[in-house]
Amino acid sequence: MAAAIKRSTLKLGMIPADGIGREVLPAAQRVLEALGSSIPKPEFIPLLAGWDHFTKFGTALPEETIQVLKNECDGAMFGAVSSPSNKVEGYSSPIVALRKHLDLYANIRPVASVPGMDGKQVNMVIVRENTECLYVKQEQIETLADGTKKAVAIRQITERASSRIGRMAFELALKRAEERAANPGGSFWQGPPKVTIIHKSNVLSVTDGLFRETVRAVKEKDAAGRYASVDLEEQIVDSMVYRLFREPEIFDVTVAPNLYGDIISDGAAALVGSLGLVPSINAGDNFAMGEPVHGSAPDIEGRGIANPIATIRSAALLLSHLGYTAPAARINAAVNSVLLEGKVSTPDLGGKSSTNEVIDAVISKM
């Protein structure tokens, strides 16, 4: 959520990684190029990462990729990664590693219905803490006296991480309120800005208790009153899932530890029809990287039918975060128009269109 970068070019690292990531990432490039002079001329820097790279070269995230992102890029786009379900010695997910190397502590996932379409009225954002919880990946297996095995995983929640993800959620709630004021008919959410803390502190009173208390303290200790207009609520995670499917219209901005946020955001995608529609950005204080929520989808890889809309929306989300809100709105309006018209859609939405046909349709609406 920065001010627009004042320069002649916008350097973006492009990491297709695995599976359909290689098919949908070009959608972001084509759409950004179609914006013309409304943004600085985009310069796309191809970068490597992923499971395929690991199988060929023994590393999932080359050091060169990290250094180019840190030293040459204004932002980045990531496609999708294939990760084995079993442990493979030496392999670690490159997207998780990138979040740590670039300190992208917030995963921001908007889930929104298209105005005018049938179905649930949803316009919420899930803000997921990106750096800790069970995703610190500190696991070990112990052999017990009877010869059976016990697996142990460490769950880490810190005050620092919880505080800054809470602040990100409050800032986002204020930004969304400003956008609603500027475009009163553009959102299903019509109430004051609201942040809902998602936790399970009734069971995990130490770790989730610290997360809950720290996020609450962001508002309670806000001496300047910046967040005074933001309502603060909380939901036990299982209750939140129930209410998410029963009455999703009650949520504005939700903030959650890593694991809960991951599960909730994928579940919320069902409310709007497909994972192929839901975007995200991984954001820190100094860098942001767009990433569609869907995975590498090996079942449809190479068939040319992957839905590019999540990637296109992720590119718009990245632009908005970099300060280019009007071009981002232009992309989202074009996507909404294509979806509402319903003439062009990929098989995940019940259609028969190809990836490129959807890209062409969005660009034509721009």
Side-chain angles (χ1 to χ4, degrees), residues 17 21 156-158 182 184 236 241 267 289 295 301 312 324 335 347:
Q156 176 180 297
I157 301 289
T158 65
I236 302 296
V241 170
M289 178 170 64
E301 179 182 357
I312 293 170
Y324 301 101
V335 168

Side-chain angles (χ1 to χ4, degrees), residues 190-362:
Q190 297 300 327
K194 180 170 75 170
V195 169
T196 304
I197 307 169
I198 309 302
H199 62 86
K200 188 71 176 175
S201 62
N202 58 326
V203 176
L204 300 171
S205 58
V206 176
T207 49
D208 273 14
L210 179 62
F211 181 84
R212 170 185 174 273
E213 292 161 10
T214 304
V215 175
R216 293 192 70 89
V218 172
K219 180 175 182 178
E220 292 165 358
K221 296 180 180 179
D222 174 28
R226 177 168 175 78
Y227 306 131
S229 64
V230 181
D231 289 345
L232 180 60
E233 296 184 355
E234 54 185 82
Q235 282 282 311
I236 302 296
V237 63
D238 43 345
S239 172
M240 189 273 177
V241 170
Y242 177 80
R243 300 192 73 183
L244 175 67
F245 289 100
R246 295 277 294 184
E247 44 184 347
E249 69 278 1
I250 70 170
F251 296 109
D252 180 18
V253 175
T254 66
V255 60
N258 208 334
L259 180 62
Y260 304 156
D262 192 4
I263 295 170
I264 289 167
S265 55
D266 279 14
L271 296 171
V272 294
S274 171
L275 277 172
L277 299 177
V278 181
S280 78
I281 56 168
N282 300 279
D285 295 330
N286 301 303
F287 199 81
M289 178 170 64
E291 178 196 5
V293 170
H294 62 69
S296 60
D299 57 322
I300 61 169
E301 179 182 357
R303 296 170 58 190
I305 59 171
N307 192 337
I309 286 178
T311 304
I312 293 170
R313 282 177 162 173
S314 295
L317 198 56
L318 176 63
L319 282 183
S320 179
H321 194 84
L322 292 174
Y324 301 101
T325 53
R330 184 176 157 199
I331 293 173
N332 284 322
V335 168
N336 286 350
S337 180
V338 169
L339 291 172
L340 189 59
E341 200 171 71
K343 294 180 180 179
V344 179
S345 60
T346 43
D348 60 308
L349 296 176
K352 297 181 179 179
S353 304
S354 69
T355 303
N356 284 329
E357 286 171 334
V358 175
I359 299 170
D360 290 342
V362 171

Side-chain angles (χ1 to χ4, degrees), residues 48 52 56 82 105 117 132 138 158-159 190 239 241 250 256 280 324:
L48 297 172
D52 285 351
K56 293 174 183 176
S82 297
Y105 61 84
M117 292 187 73
E132 46 181 40
Q138 294 181 20
T158 65
E159 188 173 14
Q190 297 300 327
S239 172
V241 170
I250 70 170
S280 78
Y324 301 101

Side-chain angles (χ1 to χ4, degrees), residues 41-56:
K41 183 179 180 181
E43 179 181 331
F44 303 103
I45 304 173
L47 297 170
L48 297 172
W51 169 251
D52 285 351
H53 193 274
F54 175 82
T55 60
K56 293 174 183 176

